[in-house]
Amino acid sequence: MREAVFIGIAILLIVVISAGIVDAKSGEELFSEKCSGCHTIGGGDMAGPDLAGVTEKRDKDWLIKIITEPDKLARENDPIMKELINKYGFQMPNLGVTRGEAELIIDFLAQYSERGTPSETSTPAVSPTPKETPQVVAGDPESGRMLFIGEKRFQNDGPPCISCHSVRKAGINGGTLGNDLSDLYSKLGEQGIQGALKSLQFPVMKDVFAGKSLTEKEIADLTAFFKEAEQGKSKPDQYPLSGFAVFVVALVIAGVYYGRVK
Ligand code: HEC
Ligand code: HEC
């Protein structure tokens, strides 16, 4: 018993220490972890705009704002933001990036663009994490639905989405900590969903899915499921929030809370 407590404390220490290391990430690491699911630097538009040269195009305060509080910027009816949202079809999500992190990322963007711009004829710039060739993994919507409601487990043990999200259009009434994802497909599009699920950088989810990232196949299945759900193809059976899901929510919240308190 004593040993178990000791091991527990040791694990906790390791977590605390590695969290400290995580805080000291470079701009490049931050970019590839949080942004590269949707953006390249010189590799062309993906779900979001290509960010090559963005540090020359926009002023720094504006960049900090869009990176740290895109939701607020949109609410303020910022004209540039409005235009971008129209063009790309959805608003960049708030990823919980701090001001300090945003500054590191902006410095990295500035340096990287400089390296890339001098001659247009040189080899085309690449994104820092080489863009894998577009995913050809075919999504299976039924498998995505089962993953969503927890009938099938995630390979890396992430909690089922239903514990925090509903997809009412597919008859799935889940937890309410996260929003209803019925219209996710038209909101984010194929690439947007894949980018979002790859990085999982939404405030609460980030903690819950730490070290439990979804596999490419799982992401493809969920994307296919969201696509079908929106078209109303999924049979609207009822999946009320089950006792199990309530239990998972409680566990997850307790886990996050415990992790924060340390
Ligand atoms: C889920 C996809 C997604 C992620 C992740 C994401 N962005 Fe974006 N970003 C967008 C979209 C879409 C737009 C354009 C619409 C808007 O402005 O909201 C955008 C716009 C921007 C712009 C403005 C570009 C311009 O031409 O002025 C900047 C700068 C930016 N993002 C930086 C970042 C950084 C830095 C990160 C990582 C911390 C990040 N984004 C993560 C989707 C994303
Ligand atoms: C522990 C609760 C929890 C779990 C489990 C969870 N989420 Fe979330 N999710 C949230 C919260 C909280 C937000 C951010 C707040 C919001 O937009 O409602 C969010 C945001 C999102 C967003 C962005 C929504 C938007 O409109 O931009 C997507 C996409 C998403 N979640 C998908 C999923 C998927 C897919 C799963 C299962 C793999 C999942 N979530 C599991 C809590 C959770």
Side-chain angles (χ1 to χ4, degrees):
M1 190 57 212
R2 290 262 303 275
E3 266 134 87
V5 170
F6 181 75
I7 291 169
I9 291 173
I11 290 175
L12 202 66
L13 266 177
I14 292 168
V15 169
V16 170
I17 291 167
S18 48
I21 293 166
V22 167
D23 278 342
K25 277 199 176 130
S26 71
E28 177 163 7
E29 283 164 337
L30 287 164
F31 182 87
S32 67
E33 179 186 307
K34 301 192 176 205
C35 323
S36 65
C38 297
H39 293 286
T40 71
I41 312 172
D45 287 356
M46 293 207 298
D50 186 336
L51 297 180
V54 78
T55 49
E56 281 143 53
K57 206 162 58 178
R58 317 275 186 222
D59 69 61
K60 184 152 181 205
D61 287 340
W62 188 86
L63 285 174
I64 288 187
K65 242 178 163 173
I66 192 171
I67 297 171
T68 57
E69 302 178 301
D71 40 351
K72 186 156 167 238
L73 195 61
R75 257 184 277 122
E76 287 166 359
N77 272 325
D78 178 88
I80 303 174
M81 181 85 172
K82 249 176 150 170
E83 210 184 300
L84 289 169
I85 296 173
N86 272 338
K87 179 158 177 217
Y88 291 91
F90 72 100
Q91 182 192 316
M92 175 161 135
N94 184 329
L95 301 161
V97 176
T98 65
R99 194 191 162 97
E101 288 173 335
E103 283 178 348
L104 287 173
I105 295 172
I106 292 169
D107 287 347
F108 165 69
L109 288 174
Q111 279 168 14
Y112 198 92
S113 302
E114 236 165 57
R115 264 186 271 150
T117 35
S119 95
E120 299 278 324
T121 52
S122 62
T123 47
V126 286
S127 59
T129 36
K131 223 197 316 174
E132 298 119 43
T133 33
Q135 281 134 346
V136 276
V137 189
D140 168 8
E142 177 58 18
S143 164
R145 187 185 63 84
M146 282 163 68
L147 287 166
F148 192 96
I149 63 176
E151 239 166 60
K152 201 162 141 184
R153 296 178 57 137
F154 288 111
Q155 195 175 313
N156 296 326
D157 273 343
C161 321
I162 194 175
S163 46
C164 301
H165 292 283
S166 291
V167 183
R168 296 214 172 78
K169 279 193 182 163
I172 297 175
N173 292 305
T176 50
L177 192 56
N179 40 356
D180 186 322
L181 299 176
S182 294
D183 296 320
L184 195 66
Y185 195 82
S186 63
K187 198 171 143 204
L188 298 186
E190 190 106 9
Q191 287 194 325
I193 294 182
Q194 302 208 343
L197 295 188
K198 213 185 250 170
S199 65
L200 289 175
Q201 288 299 321
F202 302 99
V204 174
M205 280 169 64
K206 182 174 69 182
D207 294 339
V208 173
F209 283 92
K212 299 178 180 163
S213 53
L214 307 179
T215 66
E216 228 164 78
K217 174 76 168 97
E218 286 166 351
I219 291 174
D221 289 350
L222 284 166
T223 308
F225 161 69
F226 286 125
K227 185 173 183 181
E228 264 205 20
E230 179 140 354
Q231 294 164 346
K233 270 196 203 146
S234 272
K235 26 186 157 61
D237 315 333
Q238 289 295 311
Y239 294 101
L241 182 59
S242 63
F244 172 70
V246 173
F247 173 71
V248 170
V249 173
L251 250 180
V252 151
I253 292 172
V256 169
Y257 183 66
Y258 183 69
R260 289 236 168 93
V261 170
K262 285 182 197 120

